[in-house]
């Protein structure tokens, strides 16, 4: 049985490790990252009595083939780390996970995990979802224009698509009227950020074990129309938005957290601000893009209790102050982040709901040209969406079939 010692008390947020009786001290994990459980080893050993941890690292490209082959050849792992793959459930390679999502440890991610239910059962769990998308803004340009910072607008509930477009126009400066602004109001290299704010993605995983193709939905149509409006406003830098913003020629840039690695100059002069994605005025609340990998317990796993203990331990560590510090300490030292930026960045994790990024899984990148560029030539979105719908249906079918 597991040691009955202290759970590590809590993570600093009053969260404790659930008790599980683990009789088997051996745990075998297959993962594309050998470090995936390393920070949780202490909890596995001290709280659950797991003293023999065998982590088998595999490249992301080979992981699923290796996992499927292991089940077919009776070479069983206890836990497997991957993205959500319906084919693994349909193929019978994984077993249901009996995790109590009402515990304080799991309740924070219960809502986001609900979309991965499969005919009422849970085969996949994500210990932590990251919300990495945001809008960067140049505070000096806002000061120059006499405009309030985006964080202020967000706090007042006034940060939405309309305000983004209005500010993009205000902050675009073409002094000599030659049609090429010296300063652009806005830039982004990935228009799908707009789609997340509607509360829908291109495809939604449904709890009954199906997937919904949303390409002909009002939400996708709205996002495409708004993107067109932004393009037509002539406020968007034509290319390399991330770099142009860092060089000081763009006032706002929508992008990922890692963009800040190139913004040390703006951080040094305290000119960088960050805010969550704006609200779609037709959506019921603020939404953020979120992503995260998770666990399966393979069919016939020798130590399913140990696998659940490992999922608990990883989740517990991800709630800890240690984990948060690890993510920002280096960046504070190298001048690519500040605690003020961190506080504003964390507002994304506190807003109403997340929309899971899954376009890679469905090969949606193949259609980004159709979705975001074709409407600019005047082609009706309804025509484009009707053409893409059967292609996306075929991708869904492919993803759900056993490989």
């Amino acid at each position: 049985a597991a040691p009955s010692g202290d759970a590590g008390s809590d993570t600093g947020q009053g969260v404790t490790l659930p008790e599980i009786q683990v009789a088997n001290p051996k745990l075998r994990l297959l993962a594309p990252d050998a470090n995936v459980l390393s920070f949780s080893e202490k909890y596995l050993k001290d709280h659950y009595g797991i003293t023999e941890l065998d982590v088998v690292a595999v490249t992301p490209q080979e992981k699923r083939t290796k996992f499927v082959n292991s089940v077919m050849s009776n070479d069983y792992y206890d836990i497997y780390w991957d993205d959500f793959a319906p084919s693994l459930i349909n193929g019978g390679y994984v077993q249901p996970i009996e995790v109590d999502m009402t515990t304080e440890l799991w309740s924070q991610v219960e809502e986001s995990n609900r979309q991965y239910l499969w005919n009422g059962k849970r085969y996949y769990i994500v210990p932590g979802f990251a919300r990495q998308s945001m809008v960067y803004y140049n505070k000096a340009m806002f000061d120059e224009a006499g405009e309030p910072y985006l964080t202020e607008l967000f706090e007042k509930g006034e940060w939405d698509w309309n305000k983004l477009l209005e500010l993009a126009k205000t902050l675009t400066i073409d002094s000599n009227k030659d049609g090429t602004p010296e300063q652009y109001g806005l830039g982004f290299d990935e228009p799908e950020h707009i789609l997340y704010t509607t509360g829908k993605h291109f495809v939604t995983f449904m709890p009954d074990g199906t997937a919904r193709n949303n390409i002909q939905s009002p939400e996708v149509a709205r996002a495409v129309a708004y993107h067109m409006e932004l393009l037509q406003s002539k406020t968007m830098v034509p290319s390399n938005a991330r770099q142009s913003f860092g060089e000081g020629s763009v006032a706002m840039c929508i992008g990922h957290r890692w963009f800040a690695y190139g913004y040390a100059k703006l951080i040094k002069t305290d000119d960088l601000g960050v805010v969550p994605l704006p609200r779609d005025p037709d959506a019921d609340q603020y939404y953020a893009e979120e992503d995260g990998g998770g666990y399966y317990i393979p069919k016939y796993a020798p130590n399913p209790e140990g696998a659940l203990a490992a999922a608990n331990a990883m989740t517990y560590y991800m709630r800890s102050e240690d984990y948060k510090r690890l993510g920002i300490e280096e960046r504070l030292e190298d001048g690519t982040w500040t605690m003020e930026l961190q506080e504003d960045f964390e507002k994304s994790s506190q807003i109403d709901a997340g929309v899971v990024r899954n376009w890679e899984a469905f090969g949606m990148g193949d259609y980004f040209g159709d979705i975001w560029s074709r409407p600019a030539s005047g082609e009706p979105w309804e025509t484009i969406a009707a053409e893409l719908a059967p292609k996306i249906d075929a991708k869904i079918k492919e993803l759900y079939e056993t490989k």
Side-chain angles (χ1 to χ4, degrees):
S4 57
D6 177 51
S9 73
D10 64 49
T11 60
Q13 299 174 41
V15 177
T16 53
L17 267 168
E19 296 294 337
I20 302 173
Q21 294 301 308
V22 183
N24 185 347
K26 296 180 181 177
L27 189 74
R28 194 165 181 237
L29 163 76
L30 178 66
D33 177 4
N35 293 321
V36 77
L37 266 180
S38 59
F39 297 112
S40 311
E41 277 187 61
K42 173 181 177 290
Y43 307 123
L44 283 173
K45 184 180 175 186
D46 296 350
H47 195 68
Y48 294 118
I50 294 171
T51 52
E52 298 175 52
L53 193 58
D54 178 19
V55 180
V56 178
V58 64
T59 67
Q61 294 75 24
E62 298 172 313
K63 65 179 188 278
R64 206 162 291 169
T65 304
K66 187 172 177 68
F67 172 66
V68 169
N69 288 344
S70 74
V71 176
M72 292 176 76
S73 60
N74 302 328
D75 176 28
Y76 299 117
Y77 291 91
D78 299 302
I79 191 165
Y80 170 55
W81 177 272
D82 198 349
D83 301 316
F84 188 55
S87 61
L88 296 179
I89 303 170
N90 268 345
Y93 296 105
V94 293
Q95 60 176 297
I97 302 171
E98 304 299 329
V99 61
D100 183 358
M101 282 285 177
T102 64
T103 61
E104 55 188 353
L105 178 68
W106 286 99
S107 60
Q108 290 179 35
V109 291
E110 179 184 13
E111 185 62 38
S112 292
N113 268 290
R114 189 168 291 140
Q115 70 192 303
Y116 296 130
L117 286 171
W118 192 269
N119 290 318
K121 293 183 178 176
R122 196 181 303 281
Y123 292 85
Y124 180 72
I125 45 174
V126 176
F129 290 86
R131 295 181 175 180
Q132 303 281 10
S133 296
M134 66 190 91
V135 181
Y136 292 94
Y137 63 97
N138 186 314
K139 293 198 281 192
M141 291 178 181
F142 275 72
D143 290 341
E144 185 72 25
E147 292 292 343
Y149 293 158
L150 301 186
T151 39
E152 290 175 36
L153 296 174
F154 175 74
E155 293 297 338
K156 292 179 185 170
E158 296 172 5
W159 176 227
D160 64 9
W161 286 5
N162 296 329
K163 199 69 187 173
L164 176 66
L165 179 57
E166 178 192 316
L167 285 167
K169 289 175 180 174
T170 301
L171 293 159
T172 298
I173 300 170
D174 180 10
S175 304
N176 58 7
K177 303 283 189 283
D178 67 350
T180 304
E182 301 84 56
Q183 174 181 302
Y184 284 93
L186 179 64
F188 53 82
D189 302 315
E190 300 171 18
E192 68 272 14
H193 285 298
I194 292 167
L195 179 58
Y196 296 117
T197 67
T198 68
K200 277 263 176 75
H201 203 351
F202 294 114
V203 178
T204 304
F205 295 118
M206 303 302 290
D208 63 354
T210 60
R212 179 181 291 155
N213 178 354
N214 297 323
I215 197 70
Q216 293 175 290
S217 70
E219 289 84 0
V220 174
R222 213 157 62 225
V224 169
Y226 180 62
H227 180 242
M228 283 291 304
E229 205 177 346
L230 290 172
L231 287 174
Q232 288 162 356
S233 71
K234 303 280 194 267
T235 63
M236 284 178 61
V237 66
S239 59
N240 299 322
R242 174 173 62 91
Q243 188 181 333
S244 301
F245 177 84
E247 290 167 355
S249 60
V250 178
M252 298 179 286
C253 177
I254 303 176
H256 298 277
R257 181 173 176 171
W258 59 266
F259 282 20
Y261 286 119
Y263 299 159
K265 200 159 50 171
L266 291 170
I267 290 171
K268 195 173 182 181
T269 54
D270 191 29
D271 285 325
L272 188 69
V274 299
V275 72
L277 296 174
R279 190 173 68 81
D280 165 9
D282 289 331
D284 54 347
Q285 56 190 5
Y286 276 97
Y287 288 95
E289 176 247 1
E290 63 184 16
D291 54 51
Y295 291 109
Y296 297 92
I297 298 181
K299 198 170 185 183
Y300 308 123
N303 191 2
E305 294 81 15
L308 188 50
N312 283 338
M314 172 61 88
T315 306
Y316 181 78
Y317 176 68
M318 289 176 86
R319 301 278 180 279
S320 70
E321 292 303 318
D322 283 352
Y323 179 74
K324 276 189 189 173
R325 269 198 301 275
L326 185 76
I328 63 172
E329 272 179 0
E330 277 182 34
R331 302 188 59 194
L332 294 174
E333 283 173 26
D334 66 17
T336 58
W337 206 240
T338 67
M339 283 312 297
E340 184 188 357
L341 290 171
Q342 180 65 18
E343 283 171 23
D344 287 335
F345 170 70
E346 286 179 4
K347 286 171 184 165
S348 283
S349 64
Q350 295 151 17
I351 65 175
D352 305 305
V355 178
V356 170
R357 169 195 173 108
N358 60 35
W359 59 260
E360 294 99 333
F362 294 98
M364 290 302 304
D366 297 346
Y367 312 122
F368 279 178
D370 296 303
I371 295 166
W372 305 116
S373 301
R374 276 172 65 185
S377 64
E379 208 174 337
W381 170 246
E382 292 74 17
T383 309
I384 300 166
E387 179 193 316
L388 295 180
K391 296 177 182 177
I392 297 165
D393 285 338
K395 277 284 185 186
I396 291 171
K397 188 168 183 286
E398 184 187 317
L399 188 75
Y400 275 61
E401 285 173 352
T402 308
K403 292 193 176 124

